[in-house]
Every structure is written in structure tokens, then in C-alpha cells.
Amino acid sequence: MLSVVTEDGATETGSLLDDIVSEGARRMLAAALEAEVDQYIAELAGERDEQGRRLVVRNGRHRVRQVTTAAGAVEVSAPRVNDKRVDERTGDRMRFSSKILAPWCRKSPKATEVLPLLYLHGLSGGDFVPALEQFLGSAAGLSGPTVNRLTKQWTDDHAAFQARDLSGSDYVYVWADGVHPKVRLGQAHSCVLVLMGVRADGRKELIALAEGLRESTESWADLLRDCRRRGMRDPELVIGDGAMGLWKALREVFPAARHQRCWVHKARNVTNCLPKSAQPGATRAMQEIYNAEDRAHAEKAIEAFARTYGAKWPKAVAKITEDHEKLLAFYDFPAEHWIHLRTTNPIESTFSTVKLRTKVTRGAGSPAAALAMVFKLVESAQTRWRAITGARSVALVRAGARFESGILVERPEPAAAT
């Protein structure tokens, strides 16, 4: 559509320069989406049904929607993909999901993400408005007092989140980790204790986020006791690193939960006990353990690891053999869940995504405010979390189904009618 240019260089919709930038952004985004779909379909061109017809083809376009960018609002009509493939493990239809423009996306980046991030960078309230202009293309009408009210509201939001009733939220799997974003907390050695869970429908959800000491049993016990007091049930499996405080607290507060040690943390601990020349081989040997097709093959891979490295580096081998059961616990659950249960990656990837490793200056304010900003960043990231693979099997796990080599071998008895 052409715009009529007035004498002052403006158009009916704004300045000529704004129109040019907006149109350029629209065309670039459209081209990127087209290229993404072309690549996806080309990679799966060999997937065909019994009649030789392609299983992955284009299927028109989605409805036009507006996406707010730094170049202003642009209209997008993303190409649609018809993917007829079926996941053999879960029986679910495969779906194309754009990494460039997710179905939920309406604004990029979100002000709800940018403001906390600016806060953690150490900007004071008065610095937000000019900084927002760099991020969003405008200050979005936010004044200093408005920003101050927002930051106060976020502190209240975090407090309400930490006090909410958990009796209606059944977390079957739980990831637990103590992370160290460089924000000003109450003590020199404090970290942010994070609990993330998987509900019975397979959706991931933030459970709790509080300040504490990673290795402290009391810090973890306080957080876990608070969750139990608010109605949280024992999870079926808790995944965490080697912090002894967590496991001691779990045995006290949620004794029915099984323990799974994070393989990423364990691999780091093992390689730290080895010379650099032996580390690549040891890393591959550990991958043979946690990528094994079942528990029996994993146990044989542990035996092979011990034979190869035990004579020269017994401390490295002991780190695996002494935690044998806790490292292989995930094999007793559905195979499609294994990739999610081997590590605490859901927590680590979230904190990497929200870019919290930043130098904090005096503008970061109180520890409570800094913790609230971390909460708001994670809360915003949570809107992009996907359900785990094989979501329908999570309810079976909670109901008491038994799995061997990742395969269902015993369904739970149906509840008796009352």
C-alpha cells in the first residue's frame, strides 16, 4: 500500500522514515518465516505415506496478526505447515513450531521482560525511560513514577506467589537447583533456590523461588517445608545436583520422593578429577551410561567405565559408582521422559535465557527487590515452556503404573466405585 507524503515528510500513518523501517521489518520477518518453513519441508521431503505422498507439506497461511517490534507494529501472515507424521512412542501428531515467531508471540521483546532485565543491570528508575527507547523503539508511555509502581507491584507479586495454595497443583516430577545470578542478595554466599515441576498433564511450572544457601540443609528444608505446608504432595522423582543439603532436606520433608542426580553436574565433577588428556574419553564413556537403551545396558557401561579408569583415577570412578542408584533412577520411568529427567537443564536453560549473569550496580536496590526481578523474568520465560514429551504418561506415573526399560508393563488398578 502506498502512502501519500506531505510537505513535512510525513504520511497519513506517521513519518516516511517510520513507514520505510516498518515495511522493511515486515518484509524481513516474512522472508525469514518463509525460509524457515522451506528448510523444514525440504529436510522432511523423504517422509512419505504408503501411497508415496509427502507427509509434510505447505497448507496455506495463518491469519494475519500484528507483532510489536522495535520498528513498530508490523502485520505478519505466517506460512502454515501440514505435518501428518505421528510420534511412534506417544501416538501424538507431529507439529511444526516456528523458532522465529511462536504462535503466542505478539510483542518482541516484551516490556515485562525488558524492565526487570534493566533493573538487574543496575539502572535506576529514572534511567528506564531512555533505556526503553533503545529496546522498544519508544518509552511506551512509562514515566519514572510508573516504573516505581511496577517494581513495587512485582515485589508484591513474588510474595503472593510464594504464599499461594499448592494443594490443587500435583507435581509429579520436580527439578531443584541453587543458581547464582549476580544479583544483590541478603548474604555474601546466598543463591536463588529454584523448584520447577511437571504437573500431571505434562506442563512445566515454576513452584518456588527463594533466597538461600545451596549447600545448606536448613535452607532447602525451609523451602520444602513451606511448600508442604501449602499443600504440595511428595513428587515421584526429584532431579538435582550433588548439593547434600537438598537430599537431606528431601528425606525429611518429602520422604516418598525418589532421587535422581543430574548427569550434567556429575559429568563436571568426574572430569574435574581427571587430567585433560583423559577427559574426552571419559565424557564419551559417561554418555554411554546415560544414553543407554535401558538400565541393564547402563549398568554394563558403568562397569566398563570402572575398568577403564578405576586403576588410575579411583576418585573419578567413585563419584559414579557411589551414586549408582541415584544416577540411574530415571530408567524406571517412561522412556519418552528420560531426556527430561537426566539433568536439571530446565532450570539452567531458563536462567541462561533470561540473561541474569550481569554485573549489578548500586541501582539494583534491596535484596527483596532483586529477587522479585528474578521472579518476574522467570515468570515471563514460563509462558514459553512446553509440556514434556509423552505428556499423557505423566498421569500414569502418578497413578502408580510400573515401567521397565521405559515401557509400560503394569497399569494402575482403576479406582473402586463408591
Side-chain angles (χ1 to χ4, degrees):
M1 181 181 71
L2 294 176
S3 297
V4 177
V5 182
T6 62
E7 292 183 358
D8 61 358
T11 67
E12 294 177 0
T13 57
S15 74
L16 179 60
L17 179 60
D18 287 343
D19 281 358
I20 293 172
V21 171
S22 180
E23 178 63 14
R26 186 193 66 77
R27 292 185 181 185
M28 289 176 64
L29 181 55
L33 293 172
E34 291 288 343
E36 182 183 34
V37 167
D38 286 344
Q39 181 179 356
Y40 183 80
I41 292 175
E43 289 176 351
L44 298 170
E47 298 282 344
R48 297 177 182 266
D49 62 15
E50 295 178 353
Q51 286 75 40
R53 294 172 298 193
R54 286 191 176 189
L55 293 175
V56 184
V57 295
R58 282 177 174 267
N59 185 25
R61 310 188 74 80
H62 290 282
R63 293 170 58 185
V64 175
R65 57 178 156 139
Q66 278 199 340
V67 179
T68 301
T69 71
V74 297
E75 289 190 340
V76 178
S77 177
R80 190 195 300 270
V81 175
N82 186 7
D83 194 335
K84 299 179 182 178
R85 295 174 302 146
V86 176
D87 189 316
E88 294 181 357
R89 287 185 175 179
T90 66
D92 297 332
R93 281 282 299 272
M94 307 288 278
R95 294 192 179 199
F96 167 75
S97 181
S98 173
K99 296 179 180 178
I100 298 172
L101 187 68
W104 47 262
C105 183
R106 292 293 183 276
K107 185 183 294 185
S108 177
K110 293 182 179 179
T112 52
E113 295 177 355
V114 172
L115 288 176
L117 187 58
L118 293 178
Y119 185 94
L120 293 175
H121 270 289
L123 297 183
S124 64
D127 296 327
F128 274 68
V129 174
L132 275 174
E133 292 176 350
Q134 298 297 318
F135 274 96
L136 303 177
S138 75
L142 290 176
S143 64
T146 301
V147 170
N148 290 335
R149 285 195 297 272
L150 278 174
T151 55
K152 171 63 168 62
Q153 180 60 52
W154 292 340
T155 302
D156 294 341
D157 289 348
H158 179 229
F161 176 82
Q162 288 294 103
R164 77 196 189 287
D165 181 19
L166 295 177
S167 59
S169 302
D170 185 13
Y171 301 110
V172 181
Y173 301 132
V174 170
W175 296 282
D177 203 359
V179 296
H180 294 272
K182 294 183 180 179
V183 297
R184 183 176 299 168
L185 298 174
Q187 302 181 51
H189 299 292
S190 289
C191 68
V192 178
L193 304 181
V194 183
L195 296 177
M196 284 175 56
V198 176
R199 299 171 64 104
D201 61 3
R203 288 182 295 135
K204 288 181 278 191
E205 188 172 276
L206 179 66
I207 303 172
L209 187 149
E211 181 181 350
L213 300 176
R214 186 174 190 168
E215 302 291 339
S216 167
T217 298
E218 197 55 37
S219 290
W220 280 111
D222 284 345
L223 182 60
L224 295 174
R225 287 191 206 106
D226 182 59
C227 290
R228 179 173 280 285
R229 177 185 58 78
R230 292 185 281 126
M232 182 173 162
R233 294 177 57 186
D234 289 60
E236 294 294 327
L237 184 71
V238 176
I239 307 97
D241 67 3
M244 295 304 296
L246 167 64
W247 305 113
K248 290 179 182 178
L250 272 172
R251 285 192 290 270
E252 173 195 333
V253 183
F254 292 116
R258 293 186 61 186
H259 301 176
Q260 169 65 47
R261 292 291 176 87
C262 170
W263 268 102
V264 171
H265 287 89
K266 179 59 70 175
R268 291 175 190 157
N269 294 338
V270 171
T271 54
N272 285 341
C273 295
L274 298 170
K276 286 188 177 181
S277 60
Q279 290 178 5
T283 297
R284 289 191 294 272
M286 285 186 283
Q287 290 171 346
E288 291 292 325
I289 301 172
Y290 60 76
N291 285 330
E293 60 185 273
D294 54 33
R295 177 186 279 267
H297 285 84
E299 289 174 342
K300 290 180 181 178
I302 289 178
E303 293 171 1
F305 184 88
R307 286 195 302 271
T308 302
Y309 298 98
K312 292 184 177 180
W313 302 288
K315 288 184 179 180
V317 171
K319 289 184 179 296
I320 289 181
T321 56
E322 291 177 1
D323 284 334
H324 173 272
E325 284 300 319
K326 295 183 179 67
L327 286 168
L328 303 185
F330 72 90
Y331 280 111
D332 296 332
F333 294 87
E336 58 263 40
H337 297 173
W338 292 354
I339 191 172
H340 304 286
L341 304 181
R342 292 191 292 241
T343 73
T344 56
N345 183 62
I347 291 179
E348 294 201 3
S349 62
T350 294
F351 276 79
S352 174
T353 299
V354 297
K355 303 174 183 177
L356 294 180
R357 290 177 175 82
T358 180
K359 182 178 180 180
V360 177
T361 66
R362 54 191 173 84
S366 70
L371 195 61
M373 297 304 101
V374 174
F375 163 68
K376 294 307 292 187
L377 287 167
V378 177
E379 183 185 56
S380 181
Q382 182 174 247
T383 63
R384 298 187 292 275
W385 293 349
R386 297 180 180 179
I388 67 170
T389 307
R392 291 183 295 184
S393 298
V394 180
L396 289 174
V397 172
R398 175 55 93 189
R402 190 164 63 87
F403 295 81
E404 289 182 2
S405 299
I407 306 300
L408 177 66
V409 296
E410 183 179 332
R411 285 187 175 271
E413 292 292 331
T418 57

